[in-house]
Amino acid sequence: MDPVIVVGAGPVGLALSLALAVQGVPSVVLDEGTGTDDPRPARTAVLRPDTVALLARLGCTTLGDEGARWVGWRLMRRKQLMRELPLGRTDDGSPAPLHIPQHALTRGLRASIAEEGLIRVVPGSRLDALEQDGHGITAHTRGPGATWWRGSHLVGCDGARSTVRKLLGIRFPGRTAVERHAVAALRAELPWPDEALLHRRPPWPGGGEEVSARPLGNGVWRVDWLLPARGDLVTPDALVSRLRDTLAGWCGETPPYELLDTGVYTLHHRLARRWRAGRAFLAGDAAHLLGAVGTQGLDEGLRDIGNLAWKLGEDWHHGASETLLDSYQAERRTAVAARLRAADQSLPILRGGGGLRTYMPGATRGHDTLLADGHLGHGPLGAPPSYPHSPLAPPRTDTQTAVGTPPGALVDDVRVTAPDGTTTRLGERLGQGRLLVVLVAPGTGVWDRRHWLTAGVMPRLAEAVSALPVRAELLVTEAYPGASAHSVLLVRPDGHLVTAFGGVRPGDLYAAADAARGGAPDAPSGSAGGPDAGRASGGAKAPGGADQPTAHTVPKPNAPVTPDRTANIN
């Protein structure tokens, strides 16, 4: 079986290759660059708990070493502290985001790839042609080692100017220059160690509309200034002057500091019309651009690959229905569109410059909530996505029951026990390409495993799980929020709840699992057949039974990609 071709070696493309490898799917990563990433301290990412958990499962080792978790969040307006929120320290504190330089994140992913035999990264590979047929997809790269690459699928993770998207003829409409920011990374002592600050309309001259400071650890901070949409260019001298005034405003006088990096960036909001064209898919910035009012584009890109990887793995190993493959676009594009819509609706309120709404009771508090939502990962601007109307949702039955997690949302990371006695967290069992069936059985923690394995509903449930039409793992938990005893939860490989049943219902569990895989695979198209099918590449056998991704020249196919001719390419 041919490997999956991943175009682009940024965090999203590298994470996708690792997510596929976990499922025994080989990949070739076409890297247009040199295979290394220059340090840019001012280019950072703020990651939510769900995407941090995904990266941890993929073995990214730099998260704890070079990432910083904020211990608090402050929001100020002029000279007044409007809101102070503890993060990750108490039961009442919100989960703390992780702030990490993007080059450190990429380095950690590359280190994990170096230990993975199913992934090959090919630097200096610039894509210039795509062709696909019913059995696979072929990509051509130019340069000194110009060649055709044959793959089972192809995923464009090649950024905002995606070559894959343009070759597929997919439009990328949206809004240009939604926000502009000047940014600086510096080492200094600020009054709020390890706390993030968002300061609106600071009181010093030239303070502008908004400035934020976010700690990166080891005394390093990233400071961002919101710039006028059509303001003058920011010169290095002007940025340093702005920095000195800001530090003096916060500290009383400008403290000693070491300037590490600076930059100016413009945020755009765009959404690709289609995220799938046959065997080709888009992910990350190739599919969407966002980032205004605290939304995080990298978070959404990582959620793309968490959603897509298990579906490609299912198709690669066993064949999948068109419903399953199409569900990637249906779920992720809908979720990102809702995020963009929420940001676009918030911008006039937060950046409108006053008006009567500013003086309405509760208006300022509402603004503060909106800003906190975006930056901290709450509400429509920041909360993890849910897929309540997914094409993979099973039909409603009387045997389904409500639990603390609505269908389509991410499950809670409760402690679980496998039938072999292994105790772990539910989150650590995700991402392996199989459904999870979780029985809520209070008291199992104090029983001898030999007893509860053969008692009550366990034998019947184990038999039902073994008969499912897709691979599944049976787990047991003492308790789950909002669930009664003997509830059975069905969880997708990406951690989203399919449904829950009040007791063991083998027939309904089977139907729900079949819906979660998109129904039976479609008629053979050459994309399936298991790990040993279609081995035309001559790849060497890798440990664990899958083919190692190898470069090979293939004849030019006769069936080219048919682009969308209805609109111009941006």
Side-chain angles (χ1 to χ4, degrees), residues 387-397 400 407-408 490 492 496-501 507-518:
Y387 310 127
H389 306 297
S390 168
L392 306 182
R396 179 69 186 174
T397 67
Q400 293 174 353
L490 182 63
R492 297 183 354 172
H496 289 263
L497 181 67
V498 178
T499 190
F501 296 101
D508 293 333
L509 183 63
Y510 185 101
D514 191 50
R517 67 162 180 165

Side-chain angles (χ1 to χ4, degrees), residues 74-84 192 197-204 250 364-365 368:
R74 291 170 176 260
L75 192 144
M76 297 182 66
R77 183 181 176 88
R78 301 191 186 279
K79 297 181 180 181
Q80 184 178 1
L81 178 63
M82 305 296 295
R83 187 176 185 187
E84 187 173 6
W192 324 276
L197 168 72
L198 182 65
H199 199 157
R200 303 196 72 205
R201 299 187 178 177
W204 52 87
W250 285 336
T364 300
R365 183 179 298 274
D368 296 345

Side-chain angles (χ1 to χ4, degrees), residues 377-405:
H378 302 155
L381 287 173
S386 180
Y387 310 127
H389 306 297
S390 168
L392 306 182
R396 179 69 186 174
T397 67
D398 293 339
T399 59
Q400 293 174 353
T401 186
V403 297
T405 301

